[in-house]
Coordinates of all heavy atoms in Angstrom, one line a residue:
M78 N -45.4 -46.0 28.1 CA -44.4 -45.6 27.3 C -45.0 -44.7 26.1 O -44.4 -43.8 25.7 CB -43.7 -46.8 26.7 CG -42.6 -46.3 25.7 SD -41.4 -47.5 25.1 CE -42.4 -48.8 24.4
A79 N -46.2 -45.0 25.7 CA -46.8 -44.2 24.6 C -46.9 -42.7 24.9 O -46.9 -41.9 24.0 CB -48.2 -44.8 24.4
A80 N -46.9 -42.4 26.2 CA -47.0 -40.9 26.6 C -45.7 -40.2 26.2 O -45.7 -39.0 26.2 CB -47.3 -40.8 28.1
H81 N -44.6 -41.0 26.0 CA -43.3 -40.4 25.6 C -43.1 -40.3 24.2 O -42.0 -39.8 23.7 CB -42.2 -41.2 26.3 CG -42.3 -41.2 27.8 ND1 -42.0 -40.1 28.6 CD2 -42.8 -42.1 28.7 CE1 -42.2 -40.4 29.9 NE2 -42.7 -41.6 29.9
I82 N -44.0 -40.8 23.3 CA -43.8 -40.8 21.9 C -44.6 -39.6 21.3 O -45.8 -39.5 21.6 CB -44.3 -42.1 21.3 CG1 -43.5 -43.3 21.9 CG2 -44.1 -42.1 19.8 CD1 -44.1 -44.6 21.6
P83 N -43.9 -38.7 20.5 CA -44.6 -37.6 19.9 C -45.8 -38.1 19.0 O -45.8 -39.2 18.5 CB -43.6 -36.9 19.1 CG -42.3 -37.4 19.6 CD -42.5 -38.8 20.1
D84 N -46.8 -37.2 18.9 CA -47.9 -37.5 18.0 C -47.3 -37.7 16.6 O -46.4 -37.0 16.2 CB -48.9 -36.3 17.9 CG -49.6 -36.1 19.2 OD1 -49.6 -37.1 20.1 OD2 -50.2 -35.0 19.4
D85 N -47.8 -38.8 15.9 CA -47.2 -39.1 14.6 C -45.8 -39.5 14.7 O -45.0 -39.5 13.7 CB -47.4 -38.0 13.6 CG -48.9 -37.7 13.3 OD1 -49.7 -38.7 13.3 OD2 -49.2 -36.5 13.2
G86 N -45.3 -39.9 15.9 CA -43.9 -40.3 16.1 C -43.7 -41.8 16.0 O -44.7 -42.5 15.7
Y87 N -42.5 -42.2 16.3 CA -42.2 -43.7 16.2 C -41.5 -44.1 17.5 O -40.9 -43.3 18.2 CB -41.3 -44.0 15.0 CG -42.0 -43.7 13.7 CD1 -41.8 -42.4 13.1 CD2 -42.8 -44.6 13.1 CE1 -42.4 -42.1 11.9 CE2 -43.4 -44.3 11.9 CZ -43.2 -43.1 11.3 OH -43.8 -42.8 10.1
C88 N -41.5 -45.3 17.8 CA -40.8 -45.9 18.9 C -40.1 -47.2 18.5 O -40.7 -48.0 17.8 CB -41.8 -46.2 20.0 SG -41.1 -47.1 21.4
L89 N -38.9 -47.3 18.8 CA -38.1 -48.5 18.5 C -37.8 -49.2 19.8 O -37.2 -48.6 20.7 CB -36.7 -48.1 17.8 CG -35.8 -49.3 17.6 CD1 -36.3 -50.3 16.6 CD2 -34.4 -48.7 17.2
V90 N -38.3 -50.4 19.9 CA -38.1 -51.2 21.1 C -37.0 -52.3 20.8 O -37.1 -53.0 19.8 CB -39.4 -51.9 21.6 CG1 -39.1 -52.8 22.8 CG2 -40.4 -50.9 21.9
V91 N -35.9 -52.3 21.6 CA -34.8 -53.2 21.4 C -34.8 -54.1 22.7 O -34.8 -53.6 23.8 CB -33.5 -52.4 21.2 CG1 -32.4 -53.4 21.1 CG2 -33.6 -51.5 20.0
H92 N -34.7 -55.4 22.5 CA -34.6 -56.3 23.6 C -33.4 -57.2 23.4 O -33.1 -57.6 22.3 CB -35.9 -57.2 23.6 CG -35.7 -58.3 24.6 ND1 -35.9 -58.1 26.0 CD2 -35.5 -59.6 24.4 CE1 -35.7 -59.3 26.6 NE2 -35.5 -60.2 25.7
G93 N -32.7 -57.5 24.5 CA -31.5 -58.4 24.4 C -31.2 -58.9 25.8 O -31.7 -58.4 26.8
P94 N -30.4 -59.9 25.9 CA -30.1 -60.5 27.2 C -29.3 -59.5 28.0 O -28.6 -58.7 27.5 CB -29.3 -61.7 26.8 CG -28.7 -61.5 25.5 CD -29.8 -60.6 24.8
H95 N -29.5 -59.6 29.3 CA -28.8 -58.7 30.2 C -27.8 -59.4 31.0 O -27.9 -59.5 32.2 CB -29.8 -57.9 31.0 CG -29.3 -56.8 31.8 ND1 -28.8 -55.7 31.3 CD2 -29.1 -56.7 33.2 CE1 -28.4 -54.9 32.2 NE2 -28.5 -55.5 33.4
V96 N -26.8 -60.0 30.4 CA -25.7 -60.7 31.1 C -24.5 -60.2 30.4 O -24.3 -60.4 29.2 CB -25.9 -62.2 31.1 CG1 -24.7 -62.9 31.6 CG2 -27.1 -62.7 31.8
G97 N -23.5 -59.7 31.2 CA -22.3 -59.1 30.6 C -21.3 -60.2 30.1 O -21.4 -61.3 30.4
I98 N -20.5 -59.7 29.2 CA -19.4 -60.5 28.6 C -18.1 -59.6 28.6 O -18.2 -58.5 28.0 CB -19.7 -61.1 27.2 CG1 -21.0 -61.9 27.3 CG2 -18.5 -61.9 26.7 CD1 -21.5 -62.4 25.9
T99 N -17.0 -60.0 29.1 CA -15.8 -59.3 29.1 C -15.2 -59.4 27.7 O -15.5 -60.3 26.9 CB -14.8 -59.7 30.2 OG1 -14.3 -61.0 29.8 CG2 -15.4 -59.7 31.6
K100 N -14.2 -58.5 27.5 CA -13.5 -58.6 26.2 C -12.8 -59.9 26.0 O -12.5 -60.3 24.9 CB -12.5 -57.4 26.0 CG -11.4 -57.4 27.0 CD -10.5 -56.2 26.8 CE -9.5 -56.1 27.9 NZ -8.8 -54.8 27.8
D101 N -12.5 -60.6 27.1 CA -11.8 -61.9 27.1 C -12.8 -63.1 27.0 O -12.4 -64.2 27.0 CB -10.9 -62.1 28.3 CG -9.8 -61.1 28.4 OD1 -9.3 -60.7 27.3 OD2 -9.4 -60.7 29.5
G102 N -14.1 -62.7 27.0 CA -15.2 -63.7 26.8 C -15.7 -64.3 28.1 O -16.4 -65.3 28.0
L103 N -15.4 -63.8 29.2 CA -15.9 -64.2 30.5 C -17.4 -63.8 30.6 O -17.7 -62.6 30.7 CB -15.1 -63.7 31.6 CG -15.5 -64.2 33.0 CD1 -15.3 -65.7 33.2 CD2 -14.6 -63.5 34.1
I104 N -18.3 -64.8 30.7 CA -19.7 -64.5 30.7 C -20.1 -64.3 32.2 O -19.7 -65.0 33.1 CB -20.5 -65.7 30.1 CG1 -20.1 -65.8 28.7 CG2 -22.0 -65.4 30.2 CD1 -20.6 -67.1 28.0
G105 N -20.9 -63.2 32.4 CA -21.4 -62.9 33.7 C -20.6 -61.8 34.4 O -20.9 -61.4 35.5
K106 N -19.6 -61.3 33.7 CA -18.8 -60.2 34.2 C -18.8 -59.1 33.1 O -19.1 -59.3 31.9 CB -17.4 -60.6 34.4 CG -17.2 -61.7 35.4 CD -17.4 -61.2 36.8 CE -17.1 -62.3 37.9 NZ -17.2 -61.8 39.2
V107 N -18.5 -57.8 33.5 CA -18.5 -56.7 32.6 C -17.3 -55.8 33.0 O -17.0 -55.6 34.2 CB -19.8 -56.0 32.5 CG1 -20.1 -55.3 33.8 CG2 -19.9 -55.0 31.4
E108 N -16.7 -55.2 32.0 CA -15.7 -54.1 32.2 C -16.4 -52.8 31.9 O -17.0 -52.6 30.9 CB -14.5 -54.4 31.2 CG -13.9 -55.7 31.5 CD -13.1 -56.2 30.3 OE1 -13.7 -56.4 29.2 OE2 -11.9 -56.6 30.5
R109 N -16.2 -51.8 32.8 CA -16.8 -50.5 32.6 C -15.6 -49.5 32.4 O -14.6 -49.6 33.2 CB -17.6 -50.2 33.8 CG -18.9 -51.1 33.9 CD -19.7 -50.7 35.1 NE -21.0 -51.4 35.1 CZ -21.2 -52.6 35.7 NH1 -20.2 -53.1 36.4 NH2 -22.4 -53.2 35.7
P110 N -15.8 -48.6 31.5 CA -14.7 -47.6 31.2 C -14.5 -46.8 32.5 O -15.4 -46.3 33.2 CB -15.3 -46.7 30.2 CG -16.4 -47.5 29.5 CD -16.9 -48.4 30.5
G111 N -13.2 -46.6 32.8 CA -12.8 -45.8 34.0 C -12.9 -46.5 35.3 O -12.6 -46.0 36.4
I112 N -13.3 -47.8 35.3 CA -13.4 -48.6 36.6 C -12.5 -49.8 36.4 O -12.7 -50.6 35.5 CB -14.9 -49.0 36.9 CG1 -15.7 -47.7 37.0 CG2 -15.0 -49.8 38.1 CD1 -17.2 -48.0 37.1
A113 N -11.6 -50.0 37.3 CA -10.6 -51.1 37.2 C -11.3 -52.5 37.6 O -10.9 -53.5 37.0 CB -9.4 -50.9 38.2
L114 N -12.3 -52.4 38.4 CA -13.0 -53.6 38.9 C -13.8 -54.3 37.7 O -14.6 -53.6 37.1 CB -14.0 -53.3 40.0 CG -14.8 -54.4 40.6 CD1 -13.9 -55.5 41.3 CD2 -15.9 -53.9 41.5
V115 N -13.6 -55.5 37.5 CA -14.4 -56.3 36.6 C -15.5 -56.9 37.4 O -15.2 -57.8 38.3 CB -13.6 -57.4 35.9 CG1 -14.4 -58.3 35.0 CG2 -12.5 -56.8 35.0
D116 N -16.7 -56.5 37.2 CA -17.8 -56.8 38.2 C -18.9 -57.7 37.5 O -18.9 -57.8 36.3 CB -18.4 -55.5 38.7 CG -19.1 -55.7 40.0 OD1 -19.1 -56.8 40.6 OD2 -19.7 -54.7 40.5
T117 N -19.8 -58.2 38.3 CA -20.9 -59.0 37.8 C -21.8 -58.2 37.0 O -22.0 -57.0 37.3 CB -21.6 -59.8 38.9 OG1 -22.1 -58.8 39.8 CG2 -20.8 -60.7 39.6
C118 N -22.5 -58.8 36.0 CA -23.5 -58.1 35.2 C -24.3 -59.2 34.6 O -23.9 -60.1 33.9 CB -22.8 -57.3 34.1 SG -24.0 -56.5 33.0
C119 N -25.5 -59.3 34.9 CA -26.4 -58.5 35.7 C -26.4 -59.1 37.1 O -26.7 -60.2 37.2 CB -27.7 -58.4 35.0 SG -29.1 -58.0 36.1
G120 N -26.1 -58.3 38.1 CA -26.1 -58.7 39.5 C -27.4 -59.3 39.9 O -27.4 -60.4 40.6
S121 N -28.5 -58.8 39.5 CA -29.8 -59.3 39.8 C -30.1 -60.7 39.2 O -30.5 -61.6 39.9 CB -30.9 -58.3 39.3 OG -32.2 -58.8 39.5
A122 N -29.7 -60.8 37.9 CA -29.9 -62.1 37.3 C -29.0 -63.2 37.9 O -29.4 -64.3 38.1 CB -29.6 -62.0 35.8
I123 N -27.8 -62.8 38.2 CA -26.8 -63.8 38.8 C -27.3 -64.1 40.2 O -27.2 -65.3 40.6 CB -25.4 -63.2 38.8 CG1 -24.9 -63.2 37.3 CG2 -24.4 -64.1 39.6 CD1 -23.6 -62.5 37.1
A124 N -27.8 -63.2 41.0 CA -28.3 -63.5 42.3 C -29.5 -64.4 42.2 O -29.6 -65.3 43.0 CB -28.7 -62.2 43.0
A125 N -30.4 -64.2 41.3 CA -31.5 -65.1 41.1 C -31.1 -66.5 40.7 O -31.6 -67.5 41.1 CB -32.5 -64.5 40.0
S126 N -30.0 -66.5 39.8 CA -29.5 -67.8 39.4 C -28.9 -68.6 40.6 O -29.1 -69.8 40.8 CB -28.5 -67.6 38.3 OG -27.8 -68.9 38.0
N127 N -28.2 -67.9 41.5 CA -27.6 -68.5 42.7 C -28.7 -68.9 43.6 O -28.6 -70.0 44.2 CB -26.7 -67.5 43.3 CG -25.4 -67.2 42.5 OD1 -25.0 -68.0 41.7 ND2 -24.7 -66.1 42.8
Y128 N -29.7 -68.1 43.8 CA -30.9 -68.5 44.6 C -31.5 -69.8 44.1 O -31.8 -70.7 44.8 CB -31.9 -67.4 44.6 CG -33.3 -67.7 45.0 CD1 -33.6 -67.8 46.4 CD2 -34.3 -67.7 44.1 CE1 -34.9 -68.1 46.8 CE2 -35.6 -68.0 44.5 CZ -35.9 -68.2 45.8 OH -37.2 -68.4 46.2
L129 N -31.7 -69.9 42.8 CA -32.3 -71.0 42.1 C -31.4 -72.2 42.3 O -31.9 -73.4 42.5 CB -32.5 -70.7 40.6 CG -33.2 -71.8 39.8 CD1 -34.5 -72.2 40.4 CD2 -33.3 -71.4 38.4
Q130 N -30.1 -72.0 42.2 CA -29.1 -73.1 42.3 C -29.2 -73.7 43.8 O -29.1 -74.9 44.0 CB -27.7 -72.7 42.0 CG -26.7 -73.8 41.9 CD -25.4 -73.3 41.4 OE1 -25.1 -72.1 41.5 NE2 -24.6 -74.2 40.8
G131 N -29.4 -72.8 44.7 CA -29.6 -73.2 46.1 C -30.8 -74.1 46.3 O -30.8 -75.1 47.0
I132 N -31.9 -73.7 45.6 CA -33.1 -74.5 45.7 C -32.9 -75.9 45.1 O -33.3 -76.9 45.6 CB -34.3 -73.7 45.1 CG1 -34.6 -72.5 45.9 CG2 -35.5 -74.6 44.9 CD1 -35.6 -71.6 45.2
T133 N -32.3 -75.8 43.9 CA -32.1 -77.1 43.1 C -31.2 -78.0 43.9 O -31.4 -79.2 43.9 CB -31.5 -76.7 41.7 OG1 -32.3 -75.8 41.1 CG2 -31.3 -78.0 40.9
N134 N -30.2 -77.5 44.5 CA -29.2 -78.3 45.3 C -29.8 -78.7 46.7 O -29.1 -79.5 47.4 CB -27.9 -77.6 45.5 CG -27.2 -77.4 44.1 OD1 -27.5 -78.1 43.1 ND2 -26.2 -76.5 44.1
G135 N -30.9 -78.2 47.1 CA -31.5 -78.5 48.4 C -31.0 -77.7 49.5 O -31.4 -77.9 50.7
G136 N -30.2 -76.7 49.3 CA -29.6 -75.9 50.4 C -30.5 -74.7 50.7 O -30.2 -74.0 51.7
A137 N -31.5 -74.4 49.9 CA -32.3 -73.2 50.1 C -33.8 -73.6 49.9 O -34.1 -74.5 49.1 CB -31.9 -72.0 49.3
A138 N -34.7 -72.8 50.4 CA -36.1 -73.0 50.2 C -36.7 -71.9 49.4 O -36.1 -70.8 49.4 CB -36.8 -73.1 51.5
I139 N -37.7 -72.1 48.7 CA -38.4 -71.1 47.9 C -39.0 -70.1 48.9 O -39.7 -70.5 49.8 CB -39.5 -71.7 47.0 CG1 -38.9 -72.6 45.9 CG2 -40.3 -70.6 46.3 CD1 -39.9 -73.3 45.1
T140 N -38.7 -68.8 48.7 CA -39.3 -67.8 49.6 C -40.2 -66.9 48.8 O -39.9 -66.6 47.6 CB -38.1 -67.0 50.2 OG1 -37.4 -66.4 49.2 CG2 -37.2 -67.8 51.1
P141 N -41.3 -66.5 49.4 CA -42.2 -65.6 48.7 C -41.8 -64.1 48.7 O -42.5 -63.3 49.1 CB -43.5 -65.8 49.5 CG -43.1 -66.1 50.8 CD -41.8 -66.9 50.7
K142 N -40.6 -63.9 48.2 CA -40.0 -62.5 48.3 C -40.8 -61.5 47.4 O -40.7 -60.3 47.6 CB -38.5 -62.5 47.9 CG -37.6 -63.0 49.0 CD -36.2 -62.7 48.6 CE -35.3 -63.0 49.8 NZ -33.9 -62.7 49.6
I143 N -41.4 -62.1 46.4 CA -42.2 -61.2 45.5 C -43.2 -60.4 46.2 O -43.7 -59.3 45.8 CB -42.8 -61.9 44.3 CG1 -43.1 -60.9 43.2 CG2 -43.9 -62.7 44.6 CD1 -43.4 -61.5 41.8
Q144 N -43.6 -60.9 47.4 CA -44.6 -60.3 48.2 C -44.1 -59.1 49.0 O -44.8 -58.3 49.5 CB -45.3 -61.3 49.2 CG -45.8 -62.5 48.6 CD -46.9 -62.3 47.6 OE1 -47.7 -61.3 47.8 NE2 -47.0 -63.0 46.5
Q145 N -42.8 -59.0 49.1 CA -42.1 -57.9 49.8 C -41.9 -56.7 48.9 O -41.1 -56.8 48.0 CB -40.8 -58.4 50.4 CG -41.0 -59.5 51.4 CD -39.6 -60.0 51.9 OE1 -38.6 -59.6 51.5 NE2 -39.6 -61.0 52.8
F146 N -42.4 -55.6 49.3 CA -42.3 -54.4 48.5 C -40.9 -53.9 48.5 O -40.4 -53.2 47.6 CB -43.3 -53.3 48.9 CG -43.2 -52.1 48.1 CD1 -43.8 -52.1 46.8 CD2 -42.6 -51.0 48.5 CE1 -43.8 -51.0 46.0 CE2 -42.6 -49.8 47.7 CZ -43.2 -49.9 46.4
S147 N -40.1 -54.1 49.6 CA -38.8 -53.5 49.8 C -37.8 -53.9 48.7 O -36.9 -53.2 48.3 CB -38.2 -53.9 51.1 OG -38.1 -55.3 51.2
D148 N -38.0 -55.1 48.1 CA -37.1 -55.5 46.9 C -38.0 -56.3 45.9 O -37.7 -57.4 45.6 CB -36.0 -56.3 47.4 CG -34.8 -56.3 46.4 OD1 -35.0 -55.8 45.3 OD2 -33.8 -56.9 46.7
F149 N -39.0 -55.6 45.5 CA -40.0 -56.3 44.6 C -39.4 -56.8 43.3 O -39.6 -57.9 42.9 CB -41.2 -55.3 44.3 CG -42.2 -55.9 43.4 CD1 -43.2 -56.7 43.9 CD2 -42.2 -55.7 42.0 CE1 -44.2 -57.2 43.1 CE2 -43.1 -56.2 41.2 CZ -44.1 -57.0 41.7
Q150 N -38.5 -55.9 42.7 CA -37.9 -56.3 41.5 C -37.1 -57.6 41.6 O -37.2 -58.5 40.8 CB -37.1 -55.2 40.9 CG -36.5 -55.4 39.5 CD -35.8 -54.2 39.0 OE1 -35.4 -53.3 39.7 NE2 -35.5 -54.2 37.7
Q151 N -36.2 -57.7 42.6 CA -35.4 -58.9 42.8 C -36.3 -60.1 43.0 O -36.0 -61.2 42.5 CB -34.4 -58.7 43.9 CG -33.4 -59.9 44.0 CD -32.6 -60.1 42.8 OE1 -32.2 -59.2 42.1 NE2 -32.4 -61.4 42.5
G152 N -37.3 -59.9 43.9 CA -38.2 -61.0 44.1 C -38.9 -61.5 42.9 O -39.1 -62.7 42.7
A153 N -39.3 -60.6 42.0 CA -39.9 -60.9 40.7 C -38.9 -61.7 39.8 O -39.3 -62.7 39.3 CB -40.4 -59.7 40.0
V154 N -37.7 -61.3 39.8 CA -36.7 -62.0 38.9 C -36.5 -63.4 39.5 O -36.4 -64.4 38.7 CB -35.3 -61.2 38.9 CG1 -34.3 -62.0 38.2 CG2 -35.5 -59.9 38.2
Q155 N -36.4 -63.5 40.8 CA -36.2 -64.8 41.4 C -37.4 -65.7 41.2 O -37.3 -66.9 40.9 CB -36.0 -64.7 42.9 CG -34.6 -64.1 43.2 CD -34.3 -64.0 44.7 OE1 -33.4 -63.4 45.1 NE2 -35.2 -64.5 45.6
E156 N -38.6 -65.2 41.2 CA -39.8 -66.0 40.9 C -39.9 -66.4 39.4 O -40.3 -67.5 39.1 CB -41.0 -65.2 41.4 CG -42.2 -66.1 41.6 CD -43.3 -65.5 42.4 OE1 -43.1 -65.2 43.6 OE2 -44.4 -65.3 41.8
L157 N -39.6 -65.4 38.6 CA -39.7 -65.7 37.1 C -38.7 -66.7 36.6 O -38.9 -67.4 35.6 CB -39.5 -64.4 36.4 CG -40.7 -63.4 36.5 CD1 -40.3 -62.0 35.9 CD2 -41.9 -63.9 35.8
I158 N -37.5 -66.9 37.3 CA -36.5 -67.8 36.9 C -36.8 -69.2 37.4 O -36.2 -70.2 36.9 CB -35.1 -67.3 37.3 CG1 -34.0 -67.9 36.4 CG2 -34.9 -67.5 38.8 CD1 -32.7 -67.3 36.7
L159 N -37.6 -69.4 38.4 CA -37.9 -70.7 38.9 C -38.2 -71.8 37.9 O -37.6 -72.9 38.0 CB -39.0 -70.6 39.9 CG -38.7 -70.0 41.3 CD1 -40.0 -69.8 42.1 CD2 -37.7 -70.8 42.0
P160 N -39.0 -71.6 36.9 CA -39.3 -72.7 35.9 C -38.0 -73.2 35.1 O -38.1 -74.2 34.5 CB -40.3 -72.1 35.0 CG -40.9 -70.9 35.7 CD -39.8 -70.4 36.6
F161 N -36.9 -72.4 35.2 CA -35.7 -72.8 34.4 C -34.7 -73.5 35.2 O -33.5 -73.6 34.8 CB -35.2 -71.5 33.8 CG -36.1 -70.9 32.8 CD1 -37.0 -69.8 33.3 CD2 -36.2 -71.3 31.5 CE1 -37.9 -69.2 32.4 CE2 -37.2 -70.7 30.7 CZ -38.0 -69.7 31.1
G162 N -35.0 -73.9 36.4 CA -34.0 -74.6 37.3 C -33.4 -75.8 36.7 O -32.1 -75.9 36.7
K163 N -34.1 -76.7 36.1 CA -33.5 -77.9 35.5 C -32.6 -77.5 34.3 O -31.6 -78.1 34.1 CB -34.6 -78.9 35.1 CG -35.2 -79.5 36.3 CD -36.3 -80.5 35.9 CE -37.0 -81.1 37.1 NZ -38.0 -82.1 36.7
R164 N -33.1 -76.6 33.5 CA -32.4 -76.2 32.3 C -31.0 -75.6 32.7 O -30.0 -75.9 32.2 CB -33.2 -75.1 31.6 CG -32.5 -74.6 30.3 CD -33.3 -73.6 29.6 NE -32.7 -73.1 28.5 CZ -33.3 -72.4 27.5 NH1 -34.6 -72.2 27.6 NH2 -32.6 -72.0 26.5
L165 N -31.0 -74.7 33.7 CA -29.8 -74.1 34.2 C -28.9 -75.1 34.9 O -27.7 -75.1 34.7 CB -30.0 -72.9 35.1 CG -30.6 -71.7 34.4 CD1 -31.1 -70.7 35.5 CD2 -29.6 -71.1 33.5
G166 N -29.5 -76.1 35.6 CA -28.7 -77.1 36.3 C -28.0 -78.0 35.3 O -27.0 -78.6 35.6
R167 N -28.6 -78.3 34.2 CA -28.1 -79.2 33.1 C -27.1 -78.5 32.2 O -26.3 -79.1 31.5 CB -29.2 -79.8 32.3 CG -30.0 -80.8 33.0 CD -30.9 -81.5 32.0 NE -31.7 -80.6 31.2 CZ -33.0 -80.4 31.4 NH1 -33.6 -81.0 32.4 NH2 -33.7 -79.5 30.7
A168 N -27.0 -77.2 32.3 CA -26.2 -76.4 31.3 C -24.7 -76.6 31.6 O -24.3 -76.7 32.7 CB -26.5 -74.9 31.5
E169 N -24.0 -76.7 30.5 CA -22.6 -76.9 30.5 C -21.9 -75.6 31.1 O -21.0 -75.7 31.9 CB -22.0 -77.1 29.1 CG -20.6 -77.3 29.0 CD -20.1 -77.5 27.6 OE1 -20.8 -78.2 26.8 OE2 -19.1 -77.0 27.2
N170 N -22.5 -74.5 30.8 CA -22.0 -73.2 31.3 C -23.2 -72.4 31.8 O -24.0 -71.9 31.0 CB -21.2 -72.4 30.3 CG -20.7 -71.1 30.8 OD1 -21.3 -70.4 31.6 ND2 -19.4 -70.8 30.4
R171 N -23.4 -72.4 33.1 CA -24.6 -71.8 33.6 C -24.8 -70.3 33.2 O -25.9 -69.8 32.9 CB -24.6 -71.9 35.2 CG -25.9 -71.5 35.9 CD -25.7 -71.8 37.4 NE -27.0 -71.6 38.0 CZ -27.9 -72.5 38.2 NH1 -27.7 -73.7 37.8 NH2 -29.0 -72.2 38.8
M172 N -23.7 -69.5 33.2 CA -23.7 -68.1 32.9 C -24.1 -68.0 31.4 O -24.8 -67.0 31.0 CB -22.4 -67.4 33.2 CG -22.2 -67.2 34.6 SD -23.4 -66.1 35.4 CE -24.3 -67.3 36.4
R173 N -23.6 -68.8 30.5 CA -23.9 -68.8 29.1 C -25.4 -69.0 28.9 O -26.0 -68.5 28.0 CB -23.1 -69.7 28.3 CG -23.3 -69.6 26.8 CD -22.5 -70.6 26.0 NE -21.1 -70.7 26.4 CZ -20.4 -71.8 26.3 NH1 -21.0 -72.9 25.9 NH2 -19.2 -71.8 26.7
E174 N -26.0 -69.9 29.7 CA -27.4 -70.3 29.5 C -28.4 -69.3 30.2 O -29.5 -69.2 29.8 CB -27.6 -71.7 30.2 CG -29.0 -72.3 29.9 CD -29.1 -72.7 28.4 OE1 -28.2 -72.9 27.7 OE2 -30.3 -72.7 28.0
L175 N -27.9 -68.5 31.2 CA -28.7 -67.6 31.9 C -29.5 -66.6 31.1 O -30.7 -66.5 31.4 CB -27.8 -66.9 33.0 CG -28.6 -65.9 33.9 CD1 -29.6 -66.7 34.7 CD2 -27.6 -65.3 34.9
P176 N -29.0 -66.0 30.1 CA -29.8 -65.1 29.3 C -31.1 -65.7 28.7 O -32.1 -65.1 28.5 CB -28.9 -64.5 28.2 CG -27.5 -64.7 28.7 CD -27.6 -66.0 29.6
Y177 N -31.0 -67.0 28.4 CA -32.1 -67.7 27.8 C -33.2 -68.0 28.8 O -34.3 -68.4 28.4 CB -31.6 -69.0 27.1 CG -30.6 -68.7 26.0 CD1 -29.3 -68.9 26.2 CD2 -31.1 -68.2 24.8 CE1 -28.4 -68.6 25.2 CE2 -30.2 -68.0 23.7 CZ -28.8 -68.2 23.9 OH -27.9 -67.9 22.9
A178 N -32.9 -67.9 30.1 CA -33.8 -68.2 31.1 C -34.5 -66.9 31.6 O -35.4 -66.9 32.4 CB -33.2 -68.9 32.3
L179 N -34.0 -65.7 31.1 CA -34.6 -64.5 31.6 C -35.7 -64.0 30.6 O -35.6 -64.1 29.5 CB -33.5 -63.4 31.7 CG -32.4 -63.7 32.7 CD1 -31.3 -62.7 32.6 CD2 -32.9 -63.8 34.1

């Protein structure tokens, strides 16, 4: 990133959770201007959460997807979320807890 900052310039880094919230307060969904569909956000995080829930419930096995280059980013998200399985499993609202696990 430093290559994109002018000499004697500045860089502001902003970090925040990447899970959508609708205007009605529905967590895990997002409304986009000009699109009628209320869709999942972030799809990658929710897919990783569902993968983890399958492991926690015993319906799925841990897969070494991070080794596959074809979807490296999703595999990385799924691997990084693994330590938060119990926390998400105990959560009153899994979608509300999800940003804290990312």
Side-chain angles (χ1 to χ4, degrees):
M78 178 167 59
H81 299 283
I82 302 169
D84 295 342
D85 298 321
Y87 298 93
C88 174
L89 173 65
V90 177
V91 178
H92 172 77
H95 188 68
V96 173
I98 303 174
T99 66
K100 64 183 175 189
D101 296 328
L103 182 60
I104 301 171
K106 301 282 185 179
V107 67
E108 299 156 305
R109 294 179 172 94
I112 300 174
L114 177 68
V115 176
D116 204 3
T117 58
C118 178
C119 159
S121 175
I123 293 170
S126 175
N127 292 340
Y128 163 74
L129 182 58
Q130 190 170 24
I132 292 168
T133 305
N134 294 342
I139 296 174
T140 58
K142 283 192 173 184
I143 197 164
Q144 306 299 327
Q145 296 177 358
F146 185 75
S147 62
D148 200 355
F149 180 83
Q150 185 176 16
Q151 184 61 39
V154 173
Q155 288 181 188
E156 198 164 296
L157 291 168
I158 203 172
L159 286 173
F161 299 94
K163 289 181 182 178
R164 178 180 181 165
L165 289 171
R167 289 190 304 258
E169 182 180 319
N170 183 319
R171 190 176 187 90
M172 287 298 106
R173 186 182 313 147
E174 191 66 26
L175 185 56
Y177 299 102
L179 298 175

